[in-house]
Amino acid sequence: EDQVTQSPEALRLQEGESSSLNCSYTVSGLRGLFWYRQDPGKGPEFLFTLYSAGEEKEKERLKATLTKKESFLHITAPKPEDSATYLCAVGGKEVTGGGNKLTFGTGTQLKVEL
Amino acid sequence: GAGVSQSPSNKVTEKGKDVELRCDPISGHTALYWYRQSLGQGLEFLIYFQGNSAPDKSGLPSDRFSAERTGGSVSTLTIQRTQQEDSAVYLCASSEVYRRDTEAFFGQGTRLTVV
C-alpha cells in the first residue's frame, strides 16, 4: 500500500526566513510525486511533478527536490502570501484503464508572518 | 470552462437524506477523479473515470456511494441515506490521462455537512 508522510504538520516562519518541508513516501512503482498548495476553502492547486531521484523544479520562491525515499519543498525568503497548506502526493502503479490515482499526505500548514 | 467546477459549494443535509454532488471537468480532460477530504485527514481517493466508465471504484466507502459520468464530461457523486461520518469536503479533479506529466486539476470542492 502506498504511503505518504509529511512533516512538520505546521510551520510558522518570519518573512524572509527560509525553510524546507518534508515528504517521505513508500510506493510500488513511482509514477510521479506531486506537490500542491491548498488555501482555506479552496481545492488544491498544482505546483510541481517530479519523476526521478535527483530531479529538481523551481517556481518563484519554491524549489522541489526528489530522492528515492523523500521529497523536499524548499521555500526561500517566504512572504505572507506563501501561507497555505502544502500537500504532497504520489502516483503509484497505473490503475486499471490508465489514469494516475494519487495517495496524499496530510499536509504541512505554513504560516508566514511579517 | 477554464477550470473544474463543482456544485453546490456547500450542502447541509439531514441524516438519512440522499445528496447529489456535481463536477464539471476541464473541457477535453478524459480522466476524472473524486476525492474526499475529512478534517485532519489527507485527501482520500474515491473513484476514477476514464471517459464514461469507472475502471477503479476501490475507494468508495460503502454501497451508499455511487457515481456516474455522462458524455465524457459531467460527473455526479450520489450519497444515499447520508450519515454524519459522510461530512467532509468532496473534491473533483480532472486530467489528460495520456500525458506522462499527468497532473490533476482540482475544483474548489463541495463541503457536505450531515446534521
Side-chain angles (χ1 to χ4, degrees), chain A residues 31 34 36 38 41-46 49 51-52 57 87 95-106, chain B residues 31 33 35 37 40-43 45 48 50 55-56 58 91 97 100-109 111:
Chain A
R31 282 165 51 84
F34 300 80
Y36 284 85
Q38 187 173 27
K42 298 195 174 181
E45 175 190 343
F46 171 76
T49 310
Y51 292 102
S52 56
K57 288 193 177 174
L87 300 172
V95 296
T96 303
N100 203 5
K101 182 170 74 176
L102 299 181
T103 299
F104 280 84
T106 52
Chain B
Y33 307 81
Y35 287 84
Q37 188 172 34
Q41 305 288 321
L43 274 76
F45 169 82
Y48 157 68
Q50 165 62 352
D56 192 340
S58 61
L91 290 157
V97 71
R100 183 170 184 253
D101 51 340
T102 314
E103 66 268 22
F105 295 90
F106 283 83
Q108 83 283 7
R111 181 175 296 279

Side-chain angles (χ1 to χ4, degrees), chain B residues 37-64:
Chain B
Q37 188 172 34
S38 303
L39 196 63
Q41 305 288 321
L43 274 76
E44 173 191 15
F45 169 82
L46 297 178
I47 187 169
Y48 157 68
F49 285 93
Q50 165 62 352
N52 291 336
S53 64
D56 192 340
K57 306 178 184 179
S58 61
L60 295 178
S62 75
D63 58 8
R64 296 187 295 105

Side-chain angles (χ1 to χ4, degrees), chain B residues 46-112:
Chain B
L46 297 178
I47 187 169
Y48 157 68
F49 285 93
Q50 165 62 352
N52 291 336
S53 64
D56 192 340
K57 306 178 184 179
S58 61
L60 295 178
S62 75
D63 58 8
R64 296 187 295 105
F65 288 71
S66 63
E68 65 175 12
R69 189 179 185 193
T70 55
S73 180
V74 172
S75 176
T76 303
L77 177 69
T78 301
I79 308 174
Q80 296 178 310
R81 306 181 302 282
T82 52
Q83 304 294 313
Q84 288 185 331
E85 61 262 28
D86 299 334
S87 296
V89 176
Y90 289 82
L91 290 157
C92 174
S94 70
S95 70
E96 297 178 32
V97 71
Y98 296 111
R99 288 173 47 192
R100 183 170 184 253
D101 51 340
T102 314
E103 66 268 22
F105 295 90
F106 283 83
Q108 83 283 7
T110 294
R111 181 175 296 279
L112 175 66

Side-chain angles (χ1 to χ4, degrees), chain A residues 12-53:
Chain A
R12 182 168 288 189
L13 299 174
Q14 296 296 311
E15 185 176 13
E17 179 187 2
S18 301
S19 188
S20 297
L21 313 182
N22 177 265
C23 171
S24 298
Y25 65 91
T26 55
V27 63
S28 55
L30 183 68
R31 282 165 51 84
L33 185 138
F34 300 80
W35 282 98
Y36 284 85
R37 168 189 170 131
Q38 187 173 27
D39 292 295
K42 298 195 174 181
E45 175 190 343
F46 171 76
L47 293 174
F48 303 109
T49 310
L50 302 167
Y51 292 102
S52 56

